[in-house]
Amino acid sequence: MFVTGGLKSLLPHVLRRIIRCNRLNISNTSGMAEGYKQANVVILHKSLADDFEKFCRANAGPLPLLYRSKPGDWKCPSLSSDSDIRTDCLQYRIYEHGACTATLKSLKEYSEQLKDMVTFYLGCSFSFEKAVQNAGIPVRNVEQKCNVSMYKTAVPCYSISTFCCNLVVTMRPIPESKLEAAVLATSELKEAHRAPIHMGDPGLLGIQDLSKPDYGDPVHLHPGDIPVFWACGVTGVEAVINCRAPLAFTHSPGCMFITDLKNDNVTVRSSREVPQVHCISQDPLHYSIVSAEAAQKIKNLETLIGIDPGDRGIIHLHRRDELLKACLSISHARSVLITTGFPTHFTYEPPEENDGPPGALAVAAILQALEKEVAIVTDQRAMNLNKKIIEEAVQLGILKRPVPLLSYQRESADSALMFLCENGNPGRPRFDHLVAIERAGMAADGNYYNARKVNIKHLVDPIDELFLAAQTIPGVATTGVGDGGNELGMGKVKDAVKKHIKNGDVIACDVEADFTIVAGVSNWGGYAIACALYILSTCEIHDRYLRKAVGFPQISKKMGWLSALPSVTKEEKLLKTLVRHGVRSGKTASLEMEVDGLPFYNTHSVVLEKLL
């Protein structure tokens, strides 16, 4: 019997001969023939082969197709010189009508049946382990001399005919400081699953317990390690189980076929291809991926909206990269709740200002185009006004369809929780992200103030309570957009507001948001969010991470997303609509074509053109 010591340096054809002779006392091929590609194996009747190939092409992340044999062909000349698929895996599984009926070391006794069967060789994550090690990243399963952990997820693959199953993933613990290096090391290895599909809390994939993998061995995390998940070729095994073929064979998970092909040495060159990792949530822990190019575009948007035309001192409120992180979080959200409305003109009817609603509708429009659920919550007294504005926004082509309009009143201690979650259950939130755009925010004394220090609490419903409640609900994030520090969500920068903004010691909002976007005019913040979500949606690296490397790229929907973005023409029409409904400019109370005292033409229109 051979032992594991020298196996990592043996050439593949030597290892295959040893495996063929059944002379190894190991349970998996992790770390063997370092630098060479390994493959998952699925063997199906020829009548199923075309559909299975389509299934692989539709789910290229977990199932990168290296080679498809002809019926009865036991060799794979493009992968190896002298192989025999009947004998060259450490162990095989037999599936009959979806049930695993046996494991065995050789398929030779099934040679007659194999004459009508086709073998698929699919990429394997063992192939990238050397590249990860070369990047200075520990591979814990190799260190711990065990098989990698594999888990079934709640993520559905793209179905083809009888082939339908959920994604299977491998998990490798990676030190937090090495996350970006791990992504970079694997992102271009197309035949070895490429970059991870999730980093952080396993529960977000539907995995309940890391200590109980569905396949392989438990791999222990060191302090400071983050669970990182790659798409896995064992997804093919799940597809075989679910298709219930009368007879099928696969490798045993972890017992791969070792090819003669060296791993790719890919150098990432352009910024479009360089991935960045950003933490977007601590509870649950969640990281996202975006290309450096897309990230820089979004940072440029943040700079554009950060100018201070009113010279109010907002430069002191800026938090770097908040737009990027907020939009990454919104991009992962399924359902978004938006709030706006600042009744600064308490002597007029309506008292609302026209900064806020246009930005809110710009965000709602792109969320609709991205096929996310979106609703707006506002003051009960302003429901009719907002209903009319939304209806006209649909007629003007700003929105695809009306946005559900909600109001919130405090009736009991758990009202906010009941509003945000089904039956008040924090495990079943109705919304993943709350966004406030120029929404009156509660000060430390419980009142609501306009910039002139006038208390307008009698006009404001306690929507802040939703943001406070969201802090207690895992997986629900919040974003606040403001331009003066008295807006909902600006509590994150309240010390700077008190120090640098006129009347800040009184008017500063005390309620924090997870992400705080500061803009010269709050509408600009809404426009920037819309543009940033478009940038993320057209980023191939981020798109792949969002869809967990299953299905097809969403870039074909680009024109629909583009048409949902704000434009000078749309915003001009919307501002005229607001003026017609008596919604005034914030600073001057004017019913002219201006927002916050700044003319639409040559100020707001110029910012819009630059953003777009």
Side-chain angles (χ1 to χ4, degrees):
M1 285 285 191
F2 282 80
V3 292
T4 58
L7 295 178
K8 67 180 183 179
S9 58
L10 288 180
L11 291 172
H13 73 276
V14 177
L15 269 171
R16 288 197 301 272
R17 279 188 212 147
I18 296 169
I19 291 170
R20 201 174 299 156
C21 297
N22 195 20
R23 296 172 65 194
L24 285 177
N25 63 347
I26 59 173
S27 61
N28 67 83
T29 56
S30 175
M32 293 171 64
E34 277 188 345
Y36 288 88
K37 292 177 182 175
Q38 299 193 29
N40 297 269
V41 174
V42 170
I43 307 175
L44 295 163
H45 190 268
K46 61 186 179 183
S47 62
L48 297 170
D50 286 349
D51 280 343
F52 187 72
E53 180 173 345
K54 290 175 187 174
F55 182 71
C56 294
R57 305 283 184 201
N59 299 282
L63 304 171
L65 184 56
L66 305 183
Y67 183 76
R68 170 186 168 171
S69 79
K70 294 177 180 176
D73 187 357
W74 303 324
K75 301 184 182 303
C76 49
S78 65
L79 302 183
S80 59
S81 56
D82 64 341
S83 62
D84 185 334
I85 196 55
R86 298 173 302 170
T87 57
D88 289 1
C89 291
L90 271 177
Q91 191 176 73
Y92 301 87
R93 287 187 174 185
I94 303 173
Y95 289 91
E96 296 177 86
H97 301 285
C100 180
T101 54
T103 60
L104 63 169
K105 295 283 187 179
S106 169
L107 298 181
K108 276 197 165 182
E109 64 186 278
Y110 290 91
S111 295
E112 193 61 34
Q113 293 93 326
L114 286 167
K115 288 178 181 177
D116 286 326
M117 303 184 83
V118 173
T119 303
F120 290 86
Y121 301 80
L122 307 164
C124 169
S125 64
F126 288 168
S127 303
F128 67 55
E129 288 179 337
K130 185 61 177 174
V132 170
Q133 288 173 325
N134 287 344
I137 304 164
V139 180
R140 301 295 187 207
N141 55 293
V142 174
E143 288 180 349
Q144 295 168 28
K145 296 181 171 60
C146 63
N147 200 351
V148 71
S149 302
M150 292 163 266
Y151 305 89
K152 301 175 187 178
T153 73
V155 178
C157 290
Y158 188 98
S159 297
I160 298 289
S161 187
T162 58
F163 293 105
C164 61
C165 67
N166 284 357
L167 176 69
V168 177
V169 293
T170 58
M171 188 282 293
R172 287 171 174 80
I174 304 290
E176 186 175 24
S177 63
K178 303 282 189 180
L179 289 179
E180 205 159 89
V183 174
L184 191 59
T186 57
S187 63
E188 291 301 304
L189 300 177
K190 295 180 181 178
E191 295 184 341
H193 307 302
R194 300 184 64 175
I197 57 92
H198 178 64
M199 294 177 284
D201 192 317
L204 294 172
L205 292 177
I207 299 168
Q208 301 306 317
D209 189 347
L210 285 182
S211 70
K212 297 176 180 177
D214 296 291
Y215 300 98
D217 301 319
V219 178
H220 304 291
L221 281 75
H222 289 206
D225 280 353
I226 305 297
V228 177
F229 301 86
W230 278 265
C232 176
V234 176
T235 302
V237 175
E238 288 294 304
V240 166
I241 291 170
N242 286 352
C243 87
R244 300 183 180 277
L247 180 66
F249 305 97
T250 72
H251 69 294
S252 282
C255 300
M256 319 310 294
F257 175 82
I258 300 170
T259 78
D260 293 339
L261 301 182
K262 287 201 167 184
N263 289 323
D264 304 317
N265 289 317
V266 178
T267 303
V268 179
R269 291 172 186 167
S270 73
S271 63
R272 180 185 296 275
E273 297 168 328
V274 176
Q276 291 183 356
V277 174
H278 295 273
C279 183
I280 58 172
S281 170
Q282 289 292 336
D283 183 20
L285 187 62
H286 192 191
Y287 296 82
S288 190
I289 301 178
V290 63
S291 73
E293 180 186 51
Q296 187 56 54
K297 286 180 180 178
I298 293 170
K299 291 176 183 183
N300 293 344
L301 296 179
E302 189 174 63
T303 301
L304 275 172
I305 65 170
I307 60 173
D308 188 3
D311 198 25
R312 287 178 287 182
I314 65 165
I315 189 171
H316 301 289
L317 312 186
H318 282 296
R319 290 288 188 94
R320 187 178 171 187
D321 294 344
E322 291 283 281
L323 177 63
L324 173 60
K325 291 177 182 177
C327 291
L328 283 170
S329 177
I330 295 169
S331 182
H332 283 271
R334 171 191 50 82
S335 179
V336 180
L337 179 68
I338 302 170
T339 185
T340 190
F342 206 122
T344 189
H345 302 305
F346 55 93
T347 61
Y348 291 95
E349 179 57 40
E352 268 66 32
E353 64 166 299
N354 58 17
D355 189 17
L361 293 182
V363 175
I366 191 68
L367 292 174
Q368 285 184 340
L370 294 171
E371 300 174 19
K372 296 182 186 295
E373 295 176 21
V374 57
I376 293 175
V377 60
T378 191
D379 302 297
Q380 180 63 47
R381 57 160 188 81
M383 288 288 279
N384 286 337
L385 171 65
N386 281 281
K387 185 170 182 286
K388 291 174 185 174
I389 292 168
I390 288 170
E391 287 171 353
E392 293 195 37
V394 174
Q395 292 169 12
L396 293 171
I398 293 167
L399 295 172
K400 273 187 180 179
R401 57 189 174 278
V403 178
L405 193 59
L406 311 173
S407 66
Y408 168 76
Q409 301 291 326
R410 178 185 173 88
E411 296 172 353
S412 63
D414 63 351
S415 288
L417 203 60
M418 293 297 291
F419 184 95
L420 292 174
C421 305
E422 291 182 27
N423 301 316
N425 177 3
R428 301 189 67 184
R430 292 190 176 96
F431 308 99
D432 309 304
H433 205 112
L434 278 55
V435 180
I437 300 180
E438 190 67 19
R439 170 70 194 174
M442 186 172 63
D445 64 2
N447 292 317
Y448 296 80
Y449 296 95
N450 67 13
R452 293 175 291 281
K453 224 165 43 172
V454 176
N455 185 4
I456 53 173
K457 183 175 182 178
H458 62 292
L459 296 171
V460 182
D461 289 346
I463 289 170
D464 304 65
E465 292 180 6
L466 302 180
F467 278 64
L468 291 168
Q471 295 172 8
T472 69
I473 306 170
V476 179
T478 56
T479 293
V481 181
D483 57 17
N486 56 343
E487 301 91 358
L488 177 53
M490 293 291 120
K492 190 172 181 178
V493 293
K494 63 185 176 184
D495 291 340
V497 173
K498 291 173 182 177
K499 184 175 180 180
H500 298 287
I501 302 296
K502 184 180 178 181
N503 299 326
D505 56 329
V506 174
I507 71 172
C509 176
D510 200 53
V511 181
E512 293 189 20
D514 295 312
F515 310 103
T516 299
I517 297 169
V518 179
V521 176
S522 293
N523 280 342
W524 301 352
Y527 303 152
I529 289 173
C531 293
L533 289 172
Y534 172 79
I535 290 167
L536 289 175
S537 299
T538 53
C539 169
E540 292 178 13
I541 288 172
H542 183 68
D543 168 65
R544 181 183 184 275
Y545 190 74
L546 267 189
R547 58 186 169 84
K548 307 291 184 283
V550 297
F552 298 99
Q554 299 295 295
I555 196 69
S556 61
K557 300 176 181 177
K558 179 178 178 178
M559 294 312 296
W561 303 333
L562 196 60
S563 66
L565 290 176
S567 69
V568 172
T569 302
K570 285 181 188 176
E571 297 310 306
E572 180 184 26
K573 291 177 180 177
L574 181 57
L575 186 54
K576 287 179 178 177
T577 297
L578 293 173
V579 168
R580 194 169 67 253
H581 286 291
V583 181
R584 300 168 182 271
S585 172
K587 192 172 182 180
T588 64
S590 166
L591 279 175
E592 302 296 328
M593 290 294 286
E594 65 171 57
V595 179
D596 273 355
L598 302 169
F600 178 78
Y601 306 106
N602 300 323
T603 300
H604 298 287
S605 61
V606 171
V607 171
L608 260 169
E609 286 168 350
K610 287 180 178 178
L611 287 172
L612 295 165

